[in-house]
Amino acid sequence: MKKQSLAFTLSMMAGAALAQQGPVQFSARGIVALSDADMAASAFVDGNLYKDKGVRDALTTIQFPLDRNSDKMGSVVVSNSMTLLDKPLAVSNNGRVAFVLEGRGQVSDSVATLKNGINDLPASNAMYIVDISNAAKPTVKFRFPTGGSLTALAITPQSNALIVASADAGKELKIIEIDNTGKPTRVLTAEAPTKSGQITDLTFHPSGQYVAYSIAGSQEVGLMKYAIDNASKKPYLIAHGAPIKVGAMPGTGKFTADGKFFVVTDSKKAANAQGTGAGEVFVVQFSTEEKPGEHKIVSQAATGESPEALAISPDGSTVIIANSNQSYLPFNSGKAGKSSLSVYSLGQDGKMTLANEYPFDGIMPQAVEFDKTGDAIAVAVSEYLDYGTRTGGIEFWRVTKGDKPALTKQSGRVSVTRGVHSLKVIQ
């Protein structure tokens, strides 16, 4: 009996270890996710929303390590739009406050089809400020008007100010100073650094002294200097060098952790019934000298079709691109629901080399993020080829580091409101 008891005890201990290990390994305090429940991804092609009655746009908070208790997750209704890139969401560096650009407003359950495309979705000029300090119960604190046709949001590394891109003539950029609760304390405005089109993406340099921007319509990326005026103590933005042409439709971009390189996707065309063809990814080296020199492209590489999002490992050696391919097509298409991840090594010289590609089932992955160790990634999947109850998902992959980085899909995933399109990791 003693031997049986010992064996049983060891078995229980092993079971407990396995339970702690779990099907999802991701080194972070949490994840914040945005879901646009108004739109099926295929609405970009046929206009049909396939709305589920009563399901609303949501912000979801997820706490790690995961278990099967409901107090690890919470959600709150926050209107948002997948028509923006993956930059309508920012989180303070203490992980207690989230900021969300509405982009486009929600439509009623009675609206089944967009007859005029996304122009049928009501325009918005609002930003939501959400208290996420309690992962089980996020709470909207403010709905703050910030200007017309909002497109992108960036937060300073110090989390004391936000930069918002809008279409307001002569006031295209809003500098919103915030206190430690996330409440706006002062709003300043600045002109866009160029008049060639509306800014579609904003990213702070790790130093906090520069902001990169993309303009999809004019195929440009550029840099602005962010500084504080010594006399007035007011922050300001000013162009730092001339923008450069990058691809055909530059999208989302991110800096390496050391700020040496800026990596940006190029999807070539907007999602459409015929597909967009293979995309590209570019590595840009911005001039950050006091007197700016010429910004330059140091390398580029092919991607899958419709590269929607990218992530750069904390050590800067690996880049992951999430490709929608033609997964957003209506369900009766043979290419619907088939996406992929492209994995690249990034050299000290900025050269990108394709290491591996991984097809997977899922519709329109629009966000991907590394954990704090670089050993895992989270991927936001808008929805699946599911009938009946439909959800989005956050999937997880292990990362094998090295000269030829590789991925292994983890068996667990987090189900969230369908239309998930933006993620932020709380370290």
Side-chain angles (χ1 to χ4, degrees):
M1 292 297 292
K2 287 183 179 179
K3 288 184 179 179
Q4 289 178 341
S5 177
L6 177 61
F8 179 77
T9 300
L10 290 173
S11 174
M12 289 295 290
M13 289 172 64
L18 287 173
Q20 290 174 4
Q21 185 74 6
V24 171
Q25 294 299 295
F26 194 78
S27 297
R29 287 164 51 201
I31 286 178
V32 182
L34 283 185
S35 295
D36 178 2
D38 283 333
M39 283 208 21
S42 54
F44 286 106
V45 174
D46 62 14
N48 295 321
L49 297 176
Y50 297 107
K51 286 173 56 66
D52 295 322
K53 288 185 178 180
V55 178
R56 295 290 179 261
D57 296 358
L59 178 145
T60 301
T61 48
I62 303 160
Q63 185 179 345
F64 291 96
L66 290 173
D67 59 34
R68 299 180 71 177
N69 294 324
S70 60
D71 61 358
K72 290 284 189 176
M73 292 179 59
S75 66
V76 62
V77 173
V78 177
S79 180
N80 64 88
S81 178
M82 69 165 65
T83 61
L84 305 185
L85 295 176
D86 65 339
K87 300 292 177 61
L89 171 65
V91 174
S92 62
N93 57 14
N94 63 8
R96 299 180 66 85
V97 185
F99 306 88
V100 180
L101 294 188
E102 187 171 24
R104 295 276 177 171
Q106 299 183 80
V107 295
S108 70
D109 288 340
S110 63
V111 177
T113 303
L114 301 178
K115 297 179 180 179
N116 302 298
I118 64 171
N119 290 327
D120 283 351
L121 298 172
S124 166
N125 69 345
M127 178 177 70
Y128 290 90
I129 300 168
V130 187
D131 182 346
I132 57 172
S133 57
N134 181 351
K137 195 174 181 180
T139 305
V140 175
K141 292 296 185 182
F142 309 102
R143 185 179 185 271
F144 188 74
T146 56
S149 299
L150 307 177
T151 52
L153 171 68
I155 189 168
T156 62
Q158 301 81 13
S159 295
N160 58 5
L162 303 159
I163 311 296
V164 176
S166 78
D168 289 346
K171 299 182 289 186
E172 292 87 357
L173 294 164
K174 321 292 180 180
I175 305 171
I176 304 173
E177 294 183 295
I178 53 178
D179 64 19
N180 57 10
T181 70
K183 183 177 180 179
T185 58
R186 180 166 60 178
V187 179
L188 305 168
T189 62
E191 290 186 338
T194 172
K195 298 299 182 184
S196 54
Q198 186 169 0
I199 290 172
T200 48
D201 191 69
L202 290 169
T203 308
F204 258 99
H205 187 272
S207 69
Q209 297 178 340
Y210 301 95
V211 183
Y213 63 89
S214 299
I215 301 176
S218 60
Q219 304 87 46
E220 292 176 312
V221 300
L223 198 67
M224 296 179 287
K225 187 173 183 178
Y226 176 80
I228 308 296
D229 183 81
N230 289 330
S232 67
K233 305 302 180 184
K234 293 180 179 179
Y236 65 91
L237 287 163
I238 188 170
H240 194 75
I244 59 172
K245 294 284 185 178
V246 172
M249 197 170 81
T252 186
K254 291 182 179 178
F255 281 100
T256 53
D258 61 7
K260 186 177 180 181
F261 299 116
F262 181 71
V263 184
V264 59
T265 60
D266 172 24
S267 55
K268 304 300 182 184
K269 300 176 184 177
N272 62 80
Q274 290 73 44
T276 65
E280 283 188 285
V281 58
F282 290 81
V283 180
V284 175
Q285 192 164 40
F286 286 122
S287 170
T288 55
E289 292 80 12
E290 187 62 29
K291 183 178 180 181
E294 184 180 357
H295 308 317
K296 59 184 179 181
I297 295 170
V298 294
S299 72
Q300 62 194 84
T303 69
E305 193 169 349
S306 292
E308 294 281 348
L310 69 88
I312 306 174
S313 62
D315 66 2
S317 67
T318 304
V319 177
I320 311 288
I321 305 288
N323 307 296
S324 281
N325 298 328
Q326 295 180 35
S327 64
Y328 53 81
L329 292 179
F331 279 18
N332 60 3
S333 167
K335 295 182 179 180
K338 300 182 186 301
S339 300
S340 67
L341 297 172
S342 300
V343 185
Y344 303 82
S345 61
L346 179 60
Q348 291 293 319
D349 58 356
K351 182 180 179 181
M352 285 189 65
T353 304
L354 180 65
N356 285 289
E357 291 192 80
Y358 298 90
F360 70 96
D361 291 333
I363 295 172
M364 194 172 266
Q366 289 185 283
V368 56
E369 295 288 342
F370 273 91
D371 70 358
K372 65 182 179 182
T373 65
D375 293 324
I377 59 169
V379 181
V381 180
S382 180
E383 59 177 303
Y384 300 89
L385 287 181
D386 292 343
Y387 294 84
T389 301
R390 294 156 51 222
T391 67
I394 302 174
E395 302 190 355
F396 300 88
W397 299 66
R398 294 186 187 89
V399 180
T400 302
K401 300 172 183 177
D403 294 338
K404 193 174 182 180
L407 300 178
T408 305
K409 192 172 184 180
Q410 300 188 40
S411 55
R413 76 184 186 207
V414 177
S415 292
V416 292
T417 302
R418 73 179 178 95
V420 58
H421 62 96
S422 188
L423 300 178
K424 291 297 177 186
V425 173
I426 302 174
Q427 303 290 8

